Amino acid sequence: MSATDFQTLAGLFPDETVTHSYVQDIELPPVGGKSPGTFALITLDNGLDHSKPTTLGPNTLVELGKVLDGLKERAARGEIAGVGVTGKPYYLVAGADLSAVKTLKEREHGLWMARLGHAVYATLANLGVPSFAFINGVALGGGLEIALQSTYRTVSTGAGALALPEAFIGLVPGWGGVYILPRLIGPENAVKVMIENPLSNNRTLSGPQAFQLGIADAIFEPADFVEQSIGWAAKVIAGEIMPARANAVDPAEPAVAERWAGAVAAGRAFVEAKTSNASPAPAKVLDILEANRTITQAESADLECETLAGLMQTDEFRSTVYAFLDLVQKRSKRPAGAPDRKLARPVTKIGVVGAGLMASQLALLFARQLKVPVVMTDIDQARVDKGVAYVHAEVDKLLEKKRIKADAANRTKALVTGSVSKEAFADADFVIEAVFEELHIKKQVFAEVEAIVSPECILATNTSSLSVTAMAEDLAHPERLVGFHFFNPVAVMPLLEIVRAPKTDDAVLATAFELAKGLKKTAVLVKDAAAFVVNRILLRLMGEVIAAFDEGTPAEVADSALRPMGLPMSPFTLSAMVGLPVAQHVQESLHAAFGERFAVSQNLQKLIDNGVKSLWAPGPDGTPVIPAETLAVMSFGTSPSTGEGVLRRTQDALAEEIGLMLAEGVVAGPEDIDLCVIMGAGWPMFLGGITPYLDRVGASERVNGKRFLPAGIASAPA
């Protein structure tokens, strides 16, 4: 490729937020009484505050390439003894500019982007003098690869989010990471960084973790990180320090070749378990890793570029960018339909009705995140004491794991109290119930609470499926009631469905959204309709699979039919985790609301009646089987389906249900459906949530006659 091609590529992005390369000459501190020479330090900075991460677009790379070419010429003239790269506060670089990458409509342009990065990074790796990366903060994807292409690396103890997350995004590390990393830290650790971490909720490394793995050669405190790094670089250049790399390997050695093969095999097993190979990117990462044990770095670069260019045009990559950027990064921060936040009321004390597991989780979350007093009530002192004890025990666990400090632990414990009298809510600003899912019980609770609290106190329900409107109908002030539906486990699942009943007023709703923000939850406004969004979708899905099973489809066929979707768990496993009685109870609520689309399984009821908690049980060899005594209580039809039939049936059912939800105005648009299943059910980013997947497999048009999203939003352009 020519420089003209690179300039043409850069010209496609006139609106790119360019990360500039600023160069400063520094006289290195003396080592042994003599200065090692002049050091050129490049600082990558887009000129914006820390809320706008530095990224790598084509114009950024072209500028960096020109700067590095100039430094290479200076090195050849003997003007500089070394080159360093660091970033603006909190960032080295946050990776490639995905918003730019997703606009590349031609495969050739994706190939140019990949080759441009390699050309620039090759200059960094071959300056003629040692290069150093000073990892002062976030270093993701191509940002971490800048560091890997440098001769030496230091990292700050305060640096967070170091990763090669491409397998999660739907790409491969395309600028040398797959080649360099396993040689630097060993193939097993490389698989952890490139496969296991990305596919485990996009986990990242801290500075100390990166140093421990051997990604960095030295580690320093944040206060004077760059100064310490320059002093260390001076000693390396002077020959006083030679970094030891305990985890580095030579792939030509037979023992390493065996480890390499084992690491690749383990990675493939992990990908299969996590995604059922439903996304192409993780397998491609492992293909390159496997190949590059025996090929040159230049050959690996060609393989990376070709693979990257192909993946950029896949629907899975486009769906991931839609899910990650458009939904999780943007829409979640500006919830559709949320009232003006200025209407929100202050919340200085919270009441929780109930002291069971869900109520206790809520109390802990409120106290820890909002730092306001929380009081739990229940029908007797033993239950109250158990709830408060649960909160204290969970705080102790956080302290033991060093997730919080001792002072914070003591403050959190002190904020949570219990009472057997609802009079404790008299001065509360917000009271939420977390009692049994029976409408008459919840209505009774709210009647008792309303008689005690102030007229401004907001009442909230954590119901998963019942009508908020029905709960409010006997209240003196129905406008104060709002649905505030959390997902289990409360501390982990990010979604909060905020349910607006017909009479819920804007101030109440605005307060609910502000509380959600304080709790660090992703809030989505939903209409008061049975089971709202996530549970309605999950129960429609589980209902179709269970119906196929009841009709005579073998359990292993029915339960594995959805594997091509790459969901976090199979339908029968999900049923067992939720609890068969709970799943059946919600299904009955949906059946009452929507009829036969949500058929109630008699087999499931028989299992519940006989105390069976899960369809599967471990067999003699550990393989899941259905015990004979479980089979004996059920009866089956004579119309079995194939796995493909169950999958198509479920796809069409989901397309129908989501189409109806949108027609009913349950949420503002398909984007909110997608955000809900990602954040509330853990559905994979590469599906784009669910609606891009249903568009991709044709279910949307089969059932509704049209796509949910226009082509090019979460798919390759038409």
Side-chain angles (χ1 to χ4, degrees):
M1 283 188 65
S2 67
T4 303
D5 291 330
F6 292 151
Q7 288 291 353
T8 301
L9 176 65
L12 296 175
F13 301 96
D15 299 324
E16 177 187 338
T17 301
V18 177
T19 298
H20 295 288
S21 301
Y22 299 105
V23 182
Q24 176 186 7
D25 280 4
I26 299 168
E27 194 64 24
L28 289 169
V31 178
K34 181 181 177 183
S35 171
T38 300
F39 189 80
L41 179 64
I42 302 170
T43 301
L44 302 171
D45 194 341
N46 57 11
L48 302 172
D49 65 31
H50 69 276
S51 68
K52 304 292 184 184
T54 45
T55 54
L56 299 164
N59 290 280
T60 296
L61 288 168
V62 167
E63 180 179 318
L64 176 59
K66 289 177 180 176
V67 167
L68 290 171
D69 285 339
L71 292 175
K72 187 171 184 175
E73 292 172 6
R74 291 183 65 196
R77 294 194 297 268
E79 295 176 11
I80 53 175
V83 172
V85 181
T86 193
K88 74 176 189 180
Y90 309 110
Y91 295 94
L92 178 60
V93 180
D97 182 350
L98 291 179
S99 59
V101 173
K102 75 178 248 187
T103 66
L104 294 170
K105 296 181 180 180
E106 303 294 335
R107 187 184 188 280
E108 184 181 28
H109 293 159
L111 191 60
W112 289 1
M113 179 85 170
R115 288 179 175 165
L116 171 59
H118 266 290
V120 173
Y121 286 20
T123 306
L124 176 65
N126 297 281
L127 288 169
V129 293
S131 56
F132 297 80
F134 303 151
I135 308 170
N136 61 307
V138 172
L140 297 173
L144 185 57
E145 285 174 305
I146 283 180
L148 292 173
Q149 293 277 11
S150 302
T151 321
Y152 304 102
R153 289 158 290 281
T154 67
V155 69
S156 167
T157 58
L162 280 71
L164 292 177
E166 284 82 358
F168 167 81
I169 295 168
L171 300 174
V172 298
W175 293 331
V178 190
Y179 189 87
I180 299 167
L181 192 65
R183 287 163 169 78
L184 183 66
I185 65 173
E188 301 89 351
N189 286 331
V191 167
K192 176 182 178 181
V193 173
M194 296 190 296
I195 296 293
E196 293 178 18
N197 285 357
L199 299 186
S200 299
N201 295 318
N202 208 18
R203 188 184 299 150
T204 61
L205 300 170
S206 65
Q209 288 171 328
F211 174 67
Q212 188 175 21
L213 282 176
I215 291 174
D217 300 303
I219 186 166
F220 302 110
E221 293 297 318
D224 55 354
F225 171 69
V226 172
E227 292 82 356
Q228 291 273 12
S229 295
I230 290 170
W232 182 84
K235 293 176 182 177
V236 172
I237 291 169
E240 185 175 297
I241 292 176
M242 176 58 69
R245 292 175 174 169
N247 291 333
V249 299
D250 179 355
E253 295 177 3
V256 175
E258 187 175 337
R259 285 174 54 194
W260 204 286
V264 170
R268 294 197 190 284
F270 188 88
V271 170
E272 169 66 24
K274 277 283 186 178
T275 71
S276 304
N277 287 314
S279 172
K284 295 290 187 183
V285 175
L286 291 166
D287 289 345
I288 297 172
L289 175 62
E290 185 172 35
N292 75 22
R293 185 185 67 80
T294 56
I295 61 179
T296 66
Q297 189 165 3
E299 290 169 327
S300 181
D302 287 340
L303 182 56
E304 290 167 31
C305 291
E306 292 292 340
T307 304
L308 199 58
L311 287 172
M312 283 180 189
Q313 298 305 315
T314 62
D315 285 335
E316 287 84 1
F317 167 65
R318 304 288 172 141
S319 290
T320 303
V321 174
Y322 157 78
F324 186 62
L325 284 186
D326 299 343
L327 302 184
V328 175
Q329 296 292 316
K330 294 178 182 176
R331 194 175 182 91
S332 69
K333 294 175 175 60
R334 294 185 291 275
D340 188 336
R341 59 185 301 185
K342 294 175 185 174
L343 297 172
R345 302 173 189 160
V347 173
T348 59
K349 181 180 177 180
I350 290 176
V352 180
V353 184
L357 179 58
M358 191 67 179
S360 301
Q361 290 184 72
L362 294 179
L364 173 60
L365 181 72
F366 290 135
R368 190 173 174 218
Q369 298 296 346
L370 302 178
K371 298 176 176 56
V372 298
V374 181
V375 59
M376 291 191 286
T377 66
D378 216 314
I379 57 175
D380 58 49
Q381 194 64 46
R383 285 181 170 86
V384 170
D385 291 345
K386 185 178 179 181
V388 174
Y390 171 88
V391 172
H392 287 199
E394 290 299 304
V395 171
D396 287 339
K397 288 178 189 175
L398 293 169
L399 181 62
E400 187 179 332
K401 294 175 182 175
K402 298 183 179 178
R403 298 270 301 278
I404 58 173
K405 294 182 178 178
D407 286 349
N410 291 333
R411 284 195 300 270
T412 303
K413 286 181 182 180
L415 287 170
V416 179
T417 58
S419 174
V420 293
S421 170
K422 294 185 179 66
E423 293 288 343
F425 299 149
D427 57 345
D429 304 302
F430 184 93
V431 177
I432 185 169
E433 66 75 24
V435 300
F436 191 66
E437 281 284 278
E438 289 289 352
L439 183 60
H440 73 277
I441 294 175
K442 292 182 186 288
K443 291 183 74 169
Q444 179 184 337
V445 161
F446 284 130
E448 294 170 359
V449 172
E450 191 176 37
I452 293 165
V453 298
S454 70
E456 292 76 30
C457 179
I458 293 168
L459 305 182
T461 171
N462 185 46
T463 184
S464 59
S465 62
L466 299 178
S467 168
V468 180
T469 306
M471 286 180 216
E473 62 188 7
D474 295 331
L475 291 176
H477 296 284
E479 71 280 357
R480 69 162 79 196
L481 185 62
V482 65
F484 212 59
H485 179 220
F486 291 87
F487 291 80
N488 219 347
V490 170
V492 175
M493 299 306 293
L495 183 67
L496 186 51
E497 290 177 332
I498 295 182
V499 187
R500 180 173 204 160
K503 294 185 178 178
T504 307
D505 75 22
D506 282 352
V508 168
L509 210 57
T511 307
F513 275 97
E514 284 302 292
L515 281 178
K517 186 177 180 181
L519 295 169
K520 300 179 180 175
K521 297 296 183 185
T522 296
V524 175
L525 180 63
V526 304
K527 182 181 174 183
D528 186 21
F532 315 126
V533 176
V534 174
N535 284 337
R536 183 166 167 182
I537 289 172
L538 290 180
L539 268 295
R540 186 73 199 267
L541 177 150
M542 289 194 292
E544 294 299 326
V545 174
I546 290 169
F549 173 58
D550 290 348
E551 291 161 7
T553 305
E556 60 276 9
V557 173
D559 199 31
S560 63
L562 308 189
R563 284 181 65 80
M565 292 177 70
L567 299 179
M569 61 186 73
S570 73
F572 291 167
T573 304
L574 178 61
S575 296
M577 190 193 81
V578 169
L580 300 187
V582 173
Q584 187 79 330
H585 181 76
V586 178
Q587 189 78 357
E588 288 168 346
S589 297
L590 286 160
H591 178 74
F594 303 121
E596 286 306 311
R597 296 203 314 276
F598 292 88
V600 178
S601 168
Q602 295 307 306
N603 273 334
L604 195 58
Q605 191 59 51
K606 290 172 185 175
L607 295 180
I608 295 165
D609 294 343
N610 284 272
V612 177
K613 298 190 183 307
S614 174
L615 195 68
W616 297 118
D621 61 351
T623 305
V625 297
I626 303 177
E629 57 270 26
T630 300
L631 282 171
V633 303
M634 296 187 289
S635 56
F636 302 96
T638 56
S639 304
S641 299
T642 63
E644 293 80 5
V646 176
L647 176 61
R648 185 180 175 102
R649 166 183 182 163
T650 305
Q651 291 168 345
D652 288 355
L654 291 174
E656 178 188 34
E657 203 60 40
I658 292 168
L660 290 167
M661 292 165 75
L662 293 172
E664 294 164 18
V666 175
V667 290
E671 298 88 350
D672 290 320
I673 299 278
D674 295 326
L675 187 59
C676 281
V677 296
I678 290 166
M679 306 304 272
W683 282 18
M685 295 275 185
F686 59 76
L687 291 184
I690 182 60
T691 68
Y693 169 79
L694 296 173
D695 288 345
R696 188 157 68 241
V697 298
S700 309
E701 293 186 76
R702 285 198 301 268
V703 175
N704 302 318
K706 61 181 181 179
R707 298 169 61 96
F708 287 114
L709 296 168
I713 298 296
S715 58

